[in-house]
Amino acid sequence: MSTAVATDRFDLTKPIGTELRGVKLNQLDEAGITEIKELVAERGVLFFREQDMTLAEQVALGRRLGELHVHPAAGAPEGFPEVLVVHTDAKSKRTAGEGWHSDVSCDERPPALSMLRVETTPSVGGDTLFASMYEAYESLSEPIRQFLTPLKAVHSGDLYRNLYEAAGAEKKFPESEHPVVRTHPVTGRKVLYVNSGFTRRIVGLGSRESRAILDMLFDHIAYSVKGQVRFRWEPNSVALWDNRCVQHHASWDYFPDTRHGYRVTTVGERPYQ
Ligand code: SIN
């Protein structure tokens, strides 16, 4: 495995994104799993082609990466509660993940790794974009970095309100406070940790102040093109990303075609400054 990563590694940009060729994810040994976890923390997102596997194999692989997360969305395949089905077709009113976000950052222990395998690709489009939050943090000016460093922000799962209500759960949608700048537990690097999908306000600021700062940061993330990479899917491609240091954005530019895939996600640690 070490050899595979060293010899079949193709960085797509300097700050983010590496394609690994010649690696069969579900045949990795323990050293290979460790190496993949370290590499994804460094590069933000890894891409793999031709990863034909069953749902059971994808779940087993996910478990080797960490404790698996169960998403509030209904529709997990029977027997696989940890699998999130990502499906869009001509009848869809929305598509999952259209907008910059870090998966389920409203959780107290938000996701670490997400592994998406797309089985059915549209005739054109359907790419996923990824943005490095190392780069987003490092490209802010020093005075803004200093201002943001002690702050916390509220991340809310309000967009899941209907999902919780439909499930008849007592549980309210999750809401958590996380540091605006967190330290990545594997690399020790600083990361900008706010996202337009879930972050609603900065604690201790007035509502207009908070809105203005968050809008500035969301613009900074969206416009920092040099910290982004865009992945073109083929059937059975896999993207493995680290939600602690990247955000992603699905592109729904293929209507009315169908795109279908499966995601498993690991639970991360409580973010710390
Ligand atoms: C998501 O996990 O947010 C969906 C990403 C995608 O469908 O490309």
Side-chain angles (χ1 to χ4, degrees), residues 118-222:
V118 170
E119 266 186 11
T120 307
T121 50
S123 58
V124 288
D127 296 358
T128 308
L129 289 75
F130 296 87
S132 166
M133 294 302 108
Y134 295 133
E135 174 69 23
Y137 172 74
E138 287 160 13
S139 58
L140 288 167
S141 65
E142 183 55 28
I144 292 291
R145 289 203 294 242
Q146 280 185 22
F147 169 73
L148 295 175
T149 295
L151 298 177
K152 291 193 162 195
V154 174
H155 294 237
S156 169
D158 47 10
L159 79 169
Y160 296 143
R161 187 190 307 262
N162 295 345
L163 302 180
Y164 279 104
E165 282 174 6
E170 298 264 307
K171 194 172 152 199
K172 197 173 155 284
F173 52 84
E175 203 166 85
S176 303
E177 277 184 21
H178 299 310
V180 170
V181 176
R182 70 180 285 192
T183 301
H184 194 290
V186 177
T187 61
R189 289 174 69 187
K190 298 281 183 206
V191 174
L192 180 61
Y193 196 67
V194 293
N195 70 86
S196 57
F198 295 97
T199 314
R200 297 289 173 261
R201 62 177 193 282
I202 298 181
V203 178
L205 301 190
S207 62
R208 276 201 302 276
E209 294 168 335
S210 169
R211 188 71 271 143
I213 299 288
L214 285 177
D215 283 347
M216 180 276 284
L217 294 173
F218 297 159
D219 275 2
H220 174 67
I221 290 163

Side-chain angles (χ1 to χ4, degrees), residues 84 86-88 95-99 101 103 114 116 118 126-130 233 241 243 248-251 254 259 263 265:
L84 177 72
V86 173
H87 179 94
T88 307
T95 195
E98 200 184 20
H101 67 288
D103 288 328
S114 291
L116 176 62
V118 170
D127 296 358
T128 308
L129 289 75
F130 296 87
W233 296 90
W241 63 89
N243 288 286
H248 58 287
H249 185 318
S251 177
Y254 50 88
R259 180 177 181 271
R263 195 184 90 191
T265 298

